[in-house]
């Protein structure tokens, strides 16, 4: 396959590699590995398209496979190479194999096909496949099914025909791509106050306005692809082309996305291509009777830590399936991009389990799954060819170089990568050390330790930290006192500490973020409880699978004050475009005093993490000039003690130090556990 590259393509690859090496000299010893990767990406693209179509046109399997209504008939196709016979079954065949609904093989491709009169099946009809293979048979939900119906009494899943007479009519184009994504991560089902499953319509009506009011410009929706087990948080996908019907109809999801666009929100969804649910009737596992149709054969085909199946990214048919899935969500639901889940698990055969990535050798050895990297590169190429303004984000903890570098510069093509170490750092710090022992140097290192040649999105806490078995930051900080002492007039010392640190942690994470910021729904106001989906262990209760919005809506509670602070923090970042300034200048770091100060763009951020020492005349080096205070975490409206006058203006002073040139500094009052932001006038 290497010989199939032209001289121009080979020259382009060498140019891309040179750009990578120019930005990161540590990659120089791995030039040959990089060359192999980029050549493999190009030769795979040529092999898939056979050189006579574009890669984005290749990714149109959803228009060929599955059930489609034509002018005079229905056409259904499925890929099942190990099958000996395939029948379409449903209420139209009394759920039994019937010769009238037998699929026929298409030459030797492993593809099965049937054409049916329009009157034979109808909108909302339920159906499956009955697949026969050597030595057995079984019911299967079609791989390209676009809607799945769950019988709530029997808990049985079936594919359902969704073809209403009037197709959904889109009202709003996508807004302009945000220069800095400020992401609000949300789960439709648990977004409501009620003890039950929220709907797309309820989310559109009640939650979208909250997100816009909070100032976020990007919505990231979890658990959209259909998953049989609600408690999997959407990460055990069975039907990759079906929007979860738990939350409503396909048209209701389209209406949600449409309204979000009208409100100025970019919409991303979680795309789970790192693994698939192990279910056989509902999912792809042993779809045609073989273990290895979509997945690796043998132990490599199972992710034992996640109890799921691992895709074989080296198979052209699997690439066709997954790449078409990328395009499908762009075409059908007008999403603006994807957060790719579990990228670390995809790109290493050890899945990143119990692995510390300590040197570049970890990124260039036989543990790297080259086929997975090829898939991700082609997926990004297709997504950005179809939607040049799309956003793709890699959930990768390994820090593999080039993952979030543009394709034109030799990278895999993601626009951003998550700074996944940050939420883990914060939760460990809060769990394992009292804040009087927090080391400012280590804190600064963790906040700013990232690849400068790739864009990153930072976040203080992830949804994972709020899942059952762990706790959110506010819960770790406050403990059970949160249940009884969150009224504004209550002076509980533990709650006072929790509220103060919650604001400081979020502000310093945003202020030092690379190129974007993420918040999980409810964390902006310190939602008090963990997330626990209904299961046998909790009596199938929805008590903890919801968001208690009444807490933030009550102006007499400190939750409301935390939300106001978050809104002002987001507004500040947008008003001064702070995340568009790459350079962050550390002005002061003193571990004993627990003080950190830094400049970014026109703003000076000053944090006093000390639990009990307030400093009345603290000197902070600064660019000469006058500064106005534009945010004070200690303000009353943010749940603070109002120990500083609002809207103060400070002027730099000069002092000589042992004969050196005069240096400018500010003399500031820094109350304990507070942060201020100053704007240079």
């Amino acid at each position: 396959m290497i010989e199939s590259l032209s001289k121009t393509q080979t020259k382009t690859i060498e140019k891309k590699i040179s750009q990578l090496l120019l930005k990161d000299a540590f990659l120089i010893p791995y030039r040959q590995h990089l060359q192999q990767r980029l050549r493999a990406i190009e030769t795979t693209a040529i092999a898939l398209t056979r050189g006579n179509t574009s890669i984005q046109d290749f990714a149109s399997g959803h228009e060929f496979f599955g059930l489609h209504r034509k002018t005079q008939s229905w056409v259904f196709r499925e890929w099942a190479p190990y099958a000996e016979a395939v029948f379409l079954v449903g209420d139209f065949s009394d759920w039994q194999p019937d010769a009238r609904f037998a699929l026929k093989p298409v030459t030797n491709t492993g593809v099965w096909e049937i054409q049916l009169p329009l009157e034979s099946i109808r909108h909302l009809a339920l159906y499956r496949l009955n697949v026969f293979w050597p030595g057995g048979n079984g019911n299967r939900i079609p791989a390209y099914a676009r809607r799945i119906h769950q019988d709530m009494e029997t808990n049985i899943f079936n594919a359902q025909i969704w073809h209403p007479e009037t197709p959904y009519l889109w009202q709003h184009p996508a807004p302009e791509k945000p220069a800095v994504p400020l992401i609000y991560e949300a789960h439709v089902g648990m977004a409501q106050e009620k003890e039950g499953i929220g709907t797309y319509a309820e989310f559109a009506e009640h939650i979208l306005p909250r997100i816009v009011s909070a100032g976020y410009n990007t919505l990231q929706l979890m658990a959209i692809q259909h998953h049989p087990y609600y408690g999997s948080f959407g990460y055990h996908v069975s039907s990759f082309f079906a929007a979860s019907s738990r939350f409503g109809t396909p048209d209701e999801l389209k209406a949600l996305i449409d309204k979000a666009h009208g409100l100025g929100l970019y919409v991303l969804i979680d795309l789970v291509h790192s693994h698939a649910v192990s279910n056989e009737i509902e999912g792809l596992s042993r779809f045609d009777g073989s273990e290895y149709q979509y997945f690796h054969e043998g132990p490599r085909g199972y992710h034992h830590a996640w109890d799921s199946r691992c895709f074989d990214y080296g198979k052209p048919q699997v690439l066709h399936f997954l790449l078409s899935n990328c395009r499908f969500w762009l075409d059908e639901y007008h999403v603006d991009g994807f957060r790719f889940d579990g990228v670390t698990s995809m790109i290493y055969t050890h899945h990143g389990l119990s692995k510390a990535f300590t040197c570049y050798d970890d990124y260039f050895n036989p543990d790297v799954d080259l086929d997975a990297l090829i898939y991700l590169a082609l997926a990004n190429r297709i997504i950005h060819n179809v939607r040049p303004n799309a956003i793709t984000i890699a959930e990768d903890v390994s820090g593999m170089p080039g993952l979030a570098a543009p394709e034109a510069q030799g990278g895999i093509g993601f626009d951003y990568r998550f700074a996944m170490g940050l939420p883990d750092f914060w939760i460990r710090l809060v769990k394992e050390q009292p804040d009087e022992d927090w080391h400012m140097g280590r804190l600064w290192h963790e906040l700013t330790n990232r690849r400068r040649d790739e864009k990153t999105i930072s976040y203080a806490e992830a949804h994972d930290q709020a899942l059952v078995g762990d706790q959110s930051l506010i819960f770790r900080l406050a403990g059970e006192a949160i249940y009884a002492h969150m009224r504004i007039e209550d002076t509980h010392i533990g709650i006072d500490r929790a509220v103060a640190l919650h604001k400081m942690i979020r502000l310093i994470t945003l202020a030092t973020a690379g190129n974007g910021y993420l918040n999980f729904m409810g964390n902006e106001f310190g939602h008090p409880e963990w997330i626990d989906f209904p299961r046998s262990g909790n009596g199938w209760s929805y008590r903890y699978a919801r968001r208690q919005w009444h807490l933030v809506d009550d102006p007499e509670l400190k939750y409301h004050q935390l939300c106001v602070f978050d809104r002002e923090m987001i507004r500040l970042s947008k008003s001064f475009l702070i995340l568009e300034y790459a350079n962050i200048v550390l002005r002061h770091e003193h571990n004993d005093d627990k003080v950190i100060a830094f400049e970014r763009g026109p703003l000076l951020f000053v944090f006093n993490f000390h639990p009990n020492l307030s400093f009345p005349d603290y000197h902070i080096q600064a660019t000469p000039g006058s500064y106005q205070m534009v945010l004070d975490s200690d303000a009353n409206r943010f749940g603070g003690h109002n120990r500083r006058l609002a809207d103060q203006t400070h002027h730099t002073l000069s002092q000589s130090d042992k004969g050196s040139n005069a240096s400018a500094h500010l003399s500031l009052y820094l109350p304990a556990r507070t942060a201020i932001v100053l704007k240079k006038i």
Side-chain angles (χ1 to χ4, degrees), residues 56-71:
Q56 60 266 28
D57 286 339
F58 167 80
S60 56
H62 53 291
E63 299 299 338
F64 179 80
F65 290 108
L67 183 65
H68 298 279
R69 180 170 175 166
K70 305 297 182 182
T71 304

Side-chain angles (χ1 to χ4, degrees), residues 27 30 33-34 37 348 360-366 368 400-401:
L27 287 171
Y30 307 97
H33 292 269
L34 292 168
R37 286 182 188 179
Y348 302 99
Y360 274 43
D361 285 345
D362 294 327
Y363 308 127
F364 301 97
N365 62 47
V368 175
M400 175 178 280

Side-chain angles (χ1 to χ4, degrees), residues 635-650:
N636 277 149
R637 66 192 184 110
F638 302 145
H641 299 287
N642 232 32
R643 287 169 284 186
R644 278 183 287 246
L645 294 176
D647 302 322
Q648 294 182 57
T649 298
H650 301 269

